[in-house]
Amino acid sequence: DVKVTQSSRYLVKRTGEKVFLECVQDMDHENMFWYRQDPGLGLRLIYFSYDVKMKEKGDIPEGYSVSREKKERFSLILESASTNQTSMYLCAIAGTSGYNEQFFGPGTRLTVL
Amino acid sequence: AQSVTQLDSQVPVFEEAPVELRCNYSSSVSVYLFWYVQYPNQGLQLLLKYLSGSTLVKGINGFEAEFNKSQTSFHLRKPSVHISDTAEYFCAVGQSGYNKLIFGAGTRLAVHP
């Protein structure tokens, strides 16, 4: 079974704090993704990584950065959290089979006060 | 550019009734199509996928979907729903050589007793 774990299920932070969300996979997949999910907007891609130290901006990268120092770990960083970053954050992984199927972690519900 | 439209944001239905969740996509090239399900406070789980071959695809929990190339649709169906099918459903499209998926905004299925 594919296993994608996220460091926290629920997180509460204050405005201006630096926030780290971690995603770890056990499948040795090259591609890793960070999405945010908001009601009525579906999933929006923040960043993705196709290899160690390689990253590419998604549709809404503003206010976020990422880090991938090891193949199994992909971190999303909110440099200075703001209330409009309150959301559900989902990590996903995919191999390079060409079929794009993605496997998701359980999500982190972040609240910024 | 690819896009995915889920025509209904919410679908209420009674238990044991049939249901259809609609999905249309726009793409000028061959695509891969997916339906994911998200139960409350969880990540996304793959329900079924169309990669090639037979246009009728069967998935988990009694769901099936039909790929219609001429109408660029991939509607999800179940002949008899259960209370436990209450969840949010996402349609997604990918294409060969492009390692991202494009997600629809989601359809919330509410099954009532």
Side-chain angles (χ1 to χ4, degrees):
Chain A
D1 263 5
V2 177
K3 194 158 187 182
V4 182
T5 57
Q6 294 184 229
S7 47
S8 306
R9 292 300 305 275
Y10 299 93
L11 208 53
V12 180
K13 295 290 182 181
R14 297 204 178 276
T15 302
E17 279 192 80
K18 190 168 186 175
V19 181
F20 293 87
L21 303 182
E22 273 216 318
C23 175
V24 179
Q25 56 144 328
D26 69 350
M27 285 298 293
D28 201 37
H29 281 347
E30 288 76 10
N31 298 305
M32 298 187 75
F33 306 82
W34 274 108
Y35 295 92
R36 67 176 280 175
Q37 181 184 11
D38 300 288
L41 298 178
L43 275 69
R44 293 181 291 167
L45 182 64
I46 305 171
Y47 268 98
F48 76 99
S49 168
Y50 48 92
D51 204 347
V52 175
K53 296 191 188 294
M54 307 303 284
K55 62 186 179 187
E56 199 168 305
K57 291 180 180 178
D59 301 316
I60 52 163
E62 297 77 19
Y64 303 95
S65 62
V66 290
S67 172
R68 192 166 178 199
E69 297 296 318
K70 293 185 177 181
K71 191 174 185 179
E72 68 271 18
R73 195 177 296 266
F74 189 37
S75 301
L76 179 70
I77 303 154
L78 287 65
E79 295 289 343
S80 178
S82 64
T83 54
N84 63 14
Q85 291 178 309
T86 291
S87 187
M88 172 73 122
Y89 289 88
L90 292 164
C91 175
I93 66 172
T96 53
S97 67
Y99 296 137
N100 312 106
E101 179 178 347
Q102 293 185 12
F103 302 91
F104 284 81
T108 295
R109 189 165 292 281
L110 173 67
T111 301
V112 182
L113 301 175
Chain B
Q2 291 178 342
S3 67
V4 178
T5 303
Q6 291 185 241
L7 295 149
D8 306 292
S9 59
Q10 294 187 69
V11 173
V13 65
F14 286 110
E15 196 173 17
E16 297 183 8
V19 71
E20 178 179 83
L21 307 183
R22 297 179 293 167
C23 173
N24 285 89
Y25 67 92
S26 67
S27 176
S28 58
V29 298
S30 295
V31 295
Y32 310 121
L33 294 156
F34 305 85
W35 276 99
Y36 285 86
V37 59
Q38 184 182 35
Y39 299 105
N41 295 313
Q42 293 187 27
L44 275 67
Q45 176 184 353
L46 184 68
L47 206 51
L48 50 77
K49 60 189 175 188
Y50 171 79
L51 304 179
S52 65
S54 173
T55 57
L56 184 63
V57 180
K58 293 192 184 297
I60 61 171
N61 301 340
F63 283 92
E64 63 181 33
E66 185 153 21
F67 170 56
N68 187 320
K69 189 175 182 179
S70 62
Q71 298 194 0
T72 59
S73 68
F74 191 54
H75 300 333
L76 180 70
R77 301 185 184 102
K78 187 169 182 178
S80 175
V81 294
H82 301 291
I83 297 286
S84 59
D85 293 322
T86 294
E88 189 149 22
Y89 293 79
F90 292 93
C91 181
V93 62
Q95 67 182 70
S96 180
Y98 185 70
N99 57 4
K100 292 184 275 189
L101 290 179
I102 306 300
F103 286 86
T107 297
R108 191 170 297 276
L109 175 65
V111 181
H112 301 281

